[in-house]
């Protein structure tokens, strides 16, 4: 059992119980593991500053998919990037999700063309937890993390055999059905199937601008995963298939039908295929040495039409394959070493049709390819629970950008049980696929101009302090942190310099993010827990030679959540209120089609859950304050014009929503 737990830690980095010294959630080695999901729980072990969002936290809201999993979390923001396609992005440390390394159980995921809509590709009921690390992370997972990592932990096939289902519906004509089942075949083999169906069929236009508030979406998503364990070997493997139709555009709000003459329509068809394998071997019991080979591959095919087939369309065929060979060992109980080799290959085949005069970088003939091979070494020193030092260095060579070095370091000092301090510094790099990652911008009538882009490069520095203060019979948990991200090279998304264009070009000047956050959690009495948080964002970038506040980014965020469970655990009540500060809008130009700034706004979410023996019923509402952004689509009455722009989004597009769901378990 002891060896299997260590191997599982190697295979599944960042899980709650891990053998990795650099794991966010490292615990003592255990012979038996029983996990009880709790609400948002910050672990004080490990050098990297991170939190795990467990199932207990995820079910406090509707959590239909990954993009709706951070409602009660003060760390991560999720925002719509336009009011036409439904594209969303994560924001961590105030910066967009392209600077967050997305992973599934330690493997890179949702890169390139998948980014605009990937938050809808992971159903909420499939997730066992989400691990969020801030700042520069471990070099073992690559060089791409700049503001942090989000690692998704799926339901495991090796867990006890069961059948679970979830059915959901809301007042915005959205219906979902999910199921998962585990089975054990003997001789060490186990597996699971996870299925998901989603259908958003309604054409809602609550602000009467002639455009659907949210796209109609029909998605089928299924995955099959396998696990085998015997003696000193463990295998994990599986595949996933997704198909999605996303349709939006003009509607006649007097009839609810798309029957106007020459309507502006948006259609996005996606097929995505993924597969992975993990092999781990325990080779030296005395030094806890193990070696693992991890491989994963994906194929992402997408065709998007904006207006109609004769006006503007974009297709992409993206292929990715990644392989990692990892060796880890402990020496003298306080010294640990992790080394490894990696190779990553990306291929993008892009094609587009756009109107004459629409400035767009011509896709590379024959497709764009990049192969990056790398090697790393990471040393960790553990002096009991008081001091952890982790230093890593990796070298990578890209077929497009040449060689580059990624240094990262973390320190955790815990002089007393009630206090821990963490410091971090490190570098991150990223290859930009501007058109694939921002294909939703093609919905706008503004000219899209893309420069030949350099590799992005940034430093990240962080400091955090965690306090566990005994008050009465409970503990007040307080966390304070400051992070500074400084770009050396950046692909700047510029809505400012010319209101008739959207430009993406290389940074010429300064660009940085400074974020301060403080949060506190306290169980006021048995079953009742309060959390409050405040975050201040100072984010600036050079646009057209002028250093400006980043547009469409709130200057602050405050959050308060309350959760109450009855003593018999049959009822649960959850309420969350978010206040998002105001911010700057892009330059409106002489036409003044929008305001120069926007005001702050609040949102209220609530849910009630009633549990029975084999099922539970939950009912709730989101955006109960009924705030929705006015004039979210510029020139909505003339979508074929150059001034048409659905990208000026800073807040929710649709109003209040109520939902009802049932979770069943056998």
């Amino acid at each position: 059992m002891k060896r299997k737990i260590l191997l599982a830690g190697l295979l599944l980095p960042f899980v709650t119980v891990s053998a990795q010294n650099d794991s966010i959630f490292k615990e003592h080695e255990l012979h038996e593991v029983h996990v009880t999901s709790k609400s948002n729980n910050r672990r004080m072990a490990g050098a990297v500053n991170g939190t795990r969002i467990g199932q207990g936290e995820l079910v406090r809201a509707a959590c239909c998919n990954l993009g709706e999993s951070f409602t009660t979390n003060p760390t991560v923001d999720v925002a719509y990037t336009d009011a036409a396609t439904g594209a969303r992005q994560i924001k961590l440390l105030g910066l967009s999700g392209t600077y967050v390394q997305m992973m599934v159980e330690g493997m890179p995921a949702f890169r390139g063309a998948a980014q605009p809509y990937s938050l809808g590709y992971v159903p909420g009921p499939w997730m066992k937890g989400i691990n969020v690390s801030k700042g520069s992370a471990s070099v073992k997972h690559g060089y791409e993390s700049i503001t942090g990592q989000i690692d998704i932990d799926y339901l495991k096939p090796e867990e006890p055999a069961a059948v679970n289902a979830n059915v959901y519906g809301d007042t915005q004509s959205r219906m979902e059905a999910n199921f998962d089942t585990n089975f054990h075949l003997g001789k060490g083999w186990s597996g699971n199937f996870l299925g998901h169906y989603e259908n958003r069929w309604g054409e809602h236009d609550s602000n009467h601008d002639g455009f659907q508030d949210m796209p109609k979406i029909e998605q089928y998503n299924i995955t099959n995963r396998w696990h085998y364990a015997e003696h000193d070997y463990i295998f994990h493997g599986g595949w996933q298939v997704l198909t999605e139709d996303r349709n939006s555009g003009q509607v006649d709000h007097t009839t609810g039908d798309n029957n106007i003459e020459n309507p502006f329509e948006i259609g996005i068809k996606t097929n995505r295929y993924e597969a992975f394998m993990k092999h781990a071997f325990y080779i030296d019991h005395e030094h806890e040495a193990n070696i693992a080979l991890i491989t994963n591959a994906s194929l992402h095919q997408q065709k998007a039409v904006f207006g109609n087939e004769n006006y503007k369309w974009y297709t992409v065929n993206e292929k990715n394959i990644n392989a990692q060979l990892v060796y880890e060992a402990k020496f003298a109980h306080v010294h640990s070493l992790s080394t490894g080799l990696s190779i990553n290959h990306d291929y993008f085949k892009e094609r587009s049709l756009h109107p004459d005069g629409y400035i767009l970088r011509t896709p590379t003939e024959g497709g764009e390819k990049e192969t990056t091979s790398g090697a790393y070494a990471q040393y960790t020193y553990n002096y009991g629970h008081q001091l952890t030092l982790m230093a890593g260095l990796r070298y990578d060579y890209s077929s497009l950008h040449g060689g580059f070095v990624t240094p990262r370091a973390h320190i955790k000092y815990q002089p007393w049980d009630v206090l821990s301090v963490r410091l971090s510094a490190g570098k991150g790099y990223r290859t930009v696929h501007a058109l694939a990652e921002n294909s939703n911008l093609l919905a706008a009538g503004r000219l899209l101009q893309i420069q030949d882009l350099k590799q992005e490069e940034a430093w990240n520095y962080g400091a955090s302090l965690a306090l566990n203060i005994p008050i009465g019979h409970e503990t007040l948990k307080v966390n304070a942190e400051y992070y500074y991200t400084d770009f050396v090279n950046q692909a700047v998304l510029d809505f400012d310099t010319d209101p008739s264009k959207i430009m993406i070009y290389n940074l010429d000047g300064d660009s940085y993010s400074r974020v301060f956050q403080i949060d506190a959690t306290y169980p006021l009495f048995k079953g009742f827990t309060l959390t409050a948080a405040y975050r201040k964002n100072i984010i600036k970038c050079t646009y057209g030679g002028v250093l400006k506040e980043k547009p469409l980014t709130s200057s602050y965020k405050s959050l308060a959540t309350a959760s109450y469970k009855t003593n018999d655990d049959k009822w649960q009540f959850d309420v969350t209120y978010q206040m998002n500060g105001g911010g700057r809008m892009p330059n409106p130009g002489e036409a003044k089609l929008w305001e120069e700034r926007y005001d702050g706004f609040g949102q209220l979410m609530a849910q009630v859950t009633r549990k029975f023996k084999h099922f539970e019923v939950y009912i709730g509402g989101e955006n109960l304050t009924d705030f929705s952004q006015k004039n979210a689509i510029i020139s909505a009455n003339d979508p074929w014009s150059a001034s048409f722009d659905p990208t000026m989004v800073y807040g929710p597009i649709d109003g209040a929503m109520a939902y009802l769901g049932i979770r069943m378990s056998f």
Side-chain angles (χ1 to χ4, degrees), residues 173-194:
S173 303
R174 177 181 179 180
M175 183 275 288
E176 291 195 7
N178 301 274
F179 82 93
D180 64 87
T181 179
N182 287 39
F183 48 89
H184 298 265
L185 302 179
K187 296 184 179 180
W189 282 98
S190 58
N192 68 2
F193 280 96
L194 293 82

Side-chain angles (χ1 to χ4, degrees), residues 21-34:
N21 289 305
D22 63 328
S23 170
I24 302 172
F25 312 103
K26 184 177 183 297
E27 290 288 347
H28 295 296
E29 184 180 298
L30 302 177
H31 292 275
E32 288 293 334
V33 180
H34 299 281

Side-chain angles (χ1 to χ4, degrees), residues 73-94:
N73 185 274
T75 298
V76 180
D77 295 326
V78 177
Y80 286 99
T81 56
D82 69 78
T85 69
R88 290 183 292 180
Q89 67 175 355
I90 279 177
K91 288 188 177 181
L92 184 62
L93 304 186

